[in-house]
């Protein structure tokens, strides 16, 4: 499976994963062969990338830590509740707690798996899907940090609600299909405080959850907002949400730019740990998030090119690769599998972007 921009899709390619909207409706089903009409429909729906099948790894199933149906159900409930908050400022915390518990149960049951896929989403649904993703990612980090169930549920709830203040940001700013102006950015930044105020007024919401909304844009070096808190002034939960938030934003398609690849996001986040993000949490986080997801097209330092077919938590940078092209860029005499973890001197030197159009010989 491979993520491809809708503008680069070709008729005849096969959809590799159901495409759903935040209401849980299937827009295009796994296995459908694309036609010009389908491609146009995807573009009309503002969907900028989809997963397509790679014929070389048809036999590989990517184990998912979160059941897709459960995730979409969570998104749907969250969306309904967020819209209710926008309409009449009423927060029913029980609905959010129920989703948080669902996320924790699901992630705990699959804690040995890696997170693999970026979401395919239409822009208007961004905040809802993003909130559920942040919650899932944060719970994984929490597991890595040794949190028990109570803390994980608190973290999951904070992940779901960290951006709830965005419901009070005017819709034309929230869903603007371009970069925000400085004035609009200032309004957008107000979501931390607005979210905090909504949450802390509700006696059923723990103050820590309210503080995750308040503090998730604070940064250890004091460069964050709204208060410019530093170091230990920021709660660990908020540092976790910050990493999950930045990671999910980087790999997601936005109206003004395409999402970047996980290994690129890894490099950026690692760089940010020098100033703005917590290194311990980041290391734990990337135990659970695939830096080279299954389906990535990669080149090894031998010059050979292939597709990642398996990654493990123990060796995140050393996946198993099915080699398709030899060092001269021609079809290998025989397709074979190379497990980098068993080869100390071999490693990935490049991940190909879709526009590089690696052409594999027909299967
Ligand atoms: Fe935010």
């Amino acid at each position: 499976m491979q993520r491809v921009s809708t503008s680069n899709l070709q008729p005849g390619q096969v959809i590799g994963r159901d495409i759903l909207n935040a209401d849980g409706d299937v827009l295009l089903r796994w296995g459908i062969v694309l036609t010009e009409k389908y491609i146009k429909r995807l573009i009309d729906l503002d969907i900028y990338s989809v997963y397509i099948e790679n014929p070389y790894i048809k036999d590989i199933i990517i184990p998912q830590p979160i059941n897709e149906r459960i995730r979409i159900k969570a998104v749907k409930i969250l969306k309904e509740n967020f819209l209710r908050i926008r309409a009449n400022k009423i927060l029913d915390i029980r609905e959010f707690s129920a989703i948080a518990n669902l996320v924790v149960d699901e992630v705990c049951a699959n804690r040995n798996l890696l997170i693999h896929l970026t979401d395919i989403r239409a822009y208007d649904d961004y905040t809802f899907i993003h909130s559920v993703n942040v919650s899932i990612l944060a719970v994984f980090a929490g597991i890595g940090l040794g949190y028990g169930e109570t803390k994980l549920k608190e973290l999951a709830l904070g992940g779901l609600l960290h951006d709830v203040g965005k419901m009070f940001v005017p819709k034309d700013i929230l869903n603007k299909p371009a970069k925000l102006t400085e004035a609009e950015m200032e309004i957008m930044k107000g979501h931390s405080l607005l979210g905090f105020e909504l949450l802390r007024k509700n006696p059923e919401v723990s103050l820590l959850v309210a503080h995750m909304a308040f503090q998730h844009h604070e940064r250890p070096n004091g460069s964050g907002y709204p208060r410019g808190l530093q170091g230990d002034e920021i709660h660990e939960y908020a540092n976790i949400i910050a990493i999950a938030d930045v990671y999910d934003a980087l790999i997601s398609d936005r109206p003004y730019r395409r999402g970047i690849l996980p290994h690129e996001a890894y490099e950026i986040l690692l760089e940010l740990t020098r100033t703005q993000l917590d290194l311990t949490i980041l290391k734990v986080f990337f135990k659970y998030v695939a830096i080279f997801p299954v389906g990535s097209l990669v080149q090894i330092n031998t010059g050979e090119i292939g597709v990642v077919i398996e990654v493990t938590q123990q060796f995140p940078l050393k996946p198993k690769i099915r080699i398709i092209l030899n060092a001269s860029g021609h079809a290998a005499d025989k397709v074979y599998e190379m497990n980098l973890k068993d080869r100390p001197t071999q490693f990935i030197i490049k991940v190909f972007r879709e526009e590089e159009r690696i052409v594999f010989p027909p299967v």
Side-chain angles (χ1 to χ4, degrees), residues 56 321-325 331-338 361-363:
Y56 274 94
I321 295 161
R322 192 167 283 172
I323 300 291
I324 317 282
L325 301 180
D333 292 340
K334 189 170 171 287
V335 171
Y336 75 102
E337 285 168 18
M338 179 195 279
V363 178

Side-chain angles (χ1 to χ4, degrees), residues 120-158:
I120 303 306
R121 52 189 115 179
Y123 298 129
D124 288 1
D125 289 336
Y126 177 79
T127 306
F128 316 118
I129 296 178
H130 172 71
S131 299
V132 172
N133 284 352
V134 167
S135 179
I136 294 168
L137 292 166
V139 170
F140 268 107
I143 288 175
L145 291 166
Y147 286 9
E149 198 180 324
T150 310
K151 284 176 91 174
L152 290 178
K153 286 184 173 168
E154 213 161 23
L155 194 56
L157 189 58

Side-chain angles (χ1 to χ4, degrees), residues 283-296:
K283 279 187 181 161
V284 164
F285 183 81
F286 277 105
K287 250 181 77 183
Y288 298 99
V289 176
I291 296 168
F292 300 114
V294 171
S296 306

Side-chain angles (χ1 to χ4, degrees), residues 2 65 99 173 184 322 331 352:
Q2 229 170 308
I99 316 175
I173 296 181
E184 289 166 338
R322 192 167 283 172
F352 293 96

Side-chain angles (χ1 to χ4, degrees), residues 130 162-163 166 191-192 213 216-217 225 245:
H130 172 71
H162 77 283
D163 267 346
K166 285 192 177 167
H191 78 278
S192 307
H216 73 278
H217 288 289
Y225 64 86
D245 182 25

Side-chain angles (χ1 to χ4, degrees), residues 281-315:
I281 297 172
L282 190 81
K283 279 187 181 161
V284 164
F285 183 81
F286 277 105
K287 250 181 77 183
Y288 298 99
V289 176
I291 296 168
F292 300 114
V294 171
S296 306
L297 302 184
V298 296
Q299 185 166 37
I300 318 299
N301 58 335
T302 57
E304 295 162 287
I305 293 172
V307 190
V308 172
I309 55 168
E310 190 184 304
V311 275
T312 60
Q313 283 178 8
Q314 290 73 26
F315 302 98

Side-chain angles (χ1 to χ4, degrees), residues 177-338:
K179 252 198 152 88
L180 299 180
T181 64
E182 231 160 84
E184 289 166 338
M185 188 56 100
E186 282 311 306
I187 296 174
M188 186 69 129
K189 281 182 173 179
H191 78 278
S192 307
L193 179 62
L194 292 169
F196 174 66
E197 284 178 343
L198 174 84
L199 294 169
R200 83 177 167 139
K201 274 187 212 141
N202 189 320
E204 290 171 275
V205 179
S206 112
L207 204 56
L208 271 178
V209 170
H211 272 283
M212 280 187 256
F214 203 15
Q215 296 183 12
H216 73 278
H217 288 289
E218 300 287 359
R219 297 292 180 258
N221 68 349
S223 64
Y225 64 86
R227 290 179 289 168
L229 299 181
Q230 292 185 7
D232 291 348
E233 292 172 328
I234 307 168
H235 194 277
E236 183 170 79
Y237 287 178
N239 283 327
I240 295 174
I241 300 293
I243 288 176
D245 182 25
V246 175
Y247 177 78
D248 189 64
L250 284 173
I251 63 167
S252 304
D253 292 329
R254 302 296 286 145
Y256 43 88
R257 59 151 178 82
R258 256 189 57 206
I260 63 172
L261 296 171
H263 76 282
E264 296 169 320
Y266 171 71
E267 295 293 335
I268 291 174
L269 287 163
L270 205 56
E271 181 62 30
L272 286 175
T273 58
R274 290 153 60 103
T275 49
Q276 299 189 26
L277 298 173
D278 185 296
L279 180 60
T280 313
I281 297 172
L282 190 81
K283 279 187 181 161
V284 164
F285 183 81
F286 277 105
K287 250 181 77 183
Y288 298 99
V289 176
I291 296 168
F292 300 114
V294 171
S296 306
L297 302 184
V298 296
Q299 185 166 37
I300 318 299
N301 58 335
T302 57
E304 295 162 287
I305 293 172
V307 190
V308 172
I309 55 168
E310 190 184 304
V311 275
T312 60
Q313 283 178 8
Q314 290 73 26
F315 302 98
L317 299 172
K318 301 282 248 172
K320 192 195 268 186
I321 295 161
R322 192 167 283 172
I323 300 291
I324 317 282
L325 301 180
N326 63 24
S328 339
H330 301 117
D333 292 340
K334 189 170 171 287
V335 171
Y336 75 102
E337 285 168 18
M338 179 195 279

